[in-house]
Amino acid sequence: GQQLNQSPQSMFIQEGEDVSMNCTSSSIFNTWLWYKQEPGEGPVLLIALYKAGELTSNGRLTAQFGITRKDSFLNISASIPSDVGIYFCAGFSGAGSYQLTFGKGTKLSVIP
Amino acid sequence: DAMVIQNPRYQVTQFGKPVTLSCSQTLNHNVMYWYQQKSSQAPKLLFHYYDKDFNNEADTPDNFQSRRPNTSFCFLDIRSPGLGDAAMYLCATSSGTGVGGYTFGSGTRLTVV
């Protein structure tokens, strides 16, 4: 089956720093999604990307759908303590697909 | 607000005692999913319903069953919980079109004693 390789696995950063994480696949995806999961909660959708090359922002978050359709990145600018959590990339592959494939997640820790 | 609601948020059950987790949605989505998530891991799909059609993942143990009596509700039944079934159980919904992603509930944290 499809796999999404998400990196890094974990990050420790200082408050105020920018963060970048990415997701790659050996196969093409039609939709890329980025979720954030805080401890004890379900994942919450941050950004959805539907077209190759698309660059979308949500506040301090920016994500891009790679031109090759095999990768996506998420950037967080000027990190704050409440950015702590696990960030998952996910994607739909194939026309009409409704089954999400998840990356293994990037655990973000922000040091005040 | 349209949402996915899971009850209870925390469930403690005894080893071997059947337990049911519930999920309801107000999104009128066609698809409802159940995921198992263990600490610091990605969610693992157990099964899903597309409308009334049940789709089981090949590696989901028989100990896990599901019911979807109507569009709004879906239940996860664990027939004989073992210590290894302690986890966060997440319910999610989607339109089934691939647009909009999944909407997740807040999860039920299951403890087996």
Side-chain angles (χ1 to χ4, degrees):
Chain A
Q2 290 103 7
Q3 281 189 334
L4 291 181
N5 301 306
Q6 188 172 349
S7 64
Q9 271 192 316
S10 62
M11 304 179 75
F12 287 83
I13 61 167
Q14 289 286 141
E15 182 177 358
E17 287 184 351
D18 296 343
V19 173
S20 186
M21 59 191 79
N22 69 80
C23 221
T24 61
S25 170
S26 58
S27 54
I28 287 173
F29 279 74
N30 291 328
T31 301
W32 285 94
L33 305 165
W34 286 93
Y35 285 88
K36 178 188 178 187
Q37 186 174 25
E38 296 185 7
E41 298 292 331
V44 173
L45 183 64
L46 298 173
I47 293 179
L49 303 158
Y50 299 107
K51 285 174 57 177
E54 181 180 354
L55 184 71
T56 297
S57 293
N58 178 5
R60 293 178 294 105
L61 277 60
T62 302
Q64 184 157 32
F65 190 142
I67 289 289
T68 64
R69 295 166 65 193
K70 293 182 178 180
D71 64 318
S72 177
F73 71 74
L74 174 70
N75 287 342
I76 306 172
S77 63
S79 58
I80 59 178
S82 62
D83 290 334
V84 163
I86 301 178
Y87 292 79
F88 290 101
C89 65
F92 289 115
S93 62
S97 171
Y98 62 92
Q99 292 269 55
L100 267 185
T101 299
F102 280 91
K104 293 188 188 302
T106 295
K107 186 173 183 179
L108 179 64
S109 301
V110 179
I111 304 165
Chain B
D1 280 346
M3 51 182 26
V4 180
I5 300 169
Q6 288 189 244
N7 284 305
R9 288 295 308 274
Y10 301 92
Q11 175 76 56
V12 180
T13 190
Q14 287 182 325
F15 182 94
K17 183 175 181 182
V19 65
T20 295
L21 311 181
S22 76
C23 177
S24 64
Q25 57 135 338
T26 60
L27 297 157
N28 205 33
H29 277 169
N30 294 322
V31 193
M32 295 187 78
Y33 309 80
W34 279 104
Y35 282 85
Q36 180 192 66
Q37 187 179 31
K38 298 196 173 178
S39 184
S40 297
Q41 295 182 18
K44 179 180 181 299
L45 183 64
L46 294 173
F47 28 56
H48 74 275
Y49 273 94
Y50 196 125
D51 294 329
K52 294 182 180 179
D53 293 332
F54 178 70
N55 298 272
N56 200 28
E57 293 299 298
D59 57 353
T60 297
D62 292 340
N63 199 23
F64 292 86
Q65 304 284 317
S66 185
R67 297 170 282 135
R68 189 179 186 186
N70 54 53
T71 301
S72 301
F73 285 87
C74 196
F75 299 98
L76 169 62
D77 300 310
I78 308 177
R79 295 196 292 192
S80 181
L83 298 178
D85 296 328
M88 172 78 95
Y89 290 88
L90 295 165
C91 173
T93 72
S94 79
S95 62
T97 63
V99 176
Y102 288 8
T103 302
F104 282 87
S106 296
T108 295
R109 169 71 64 187
L110 178 69
T111 300
V112 181
V113 298

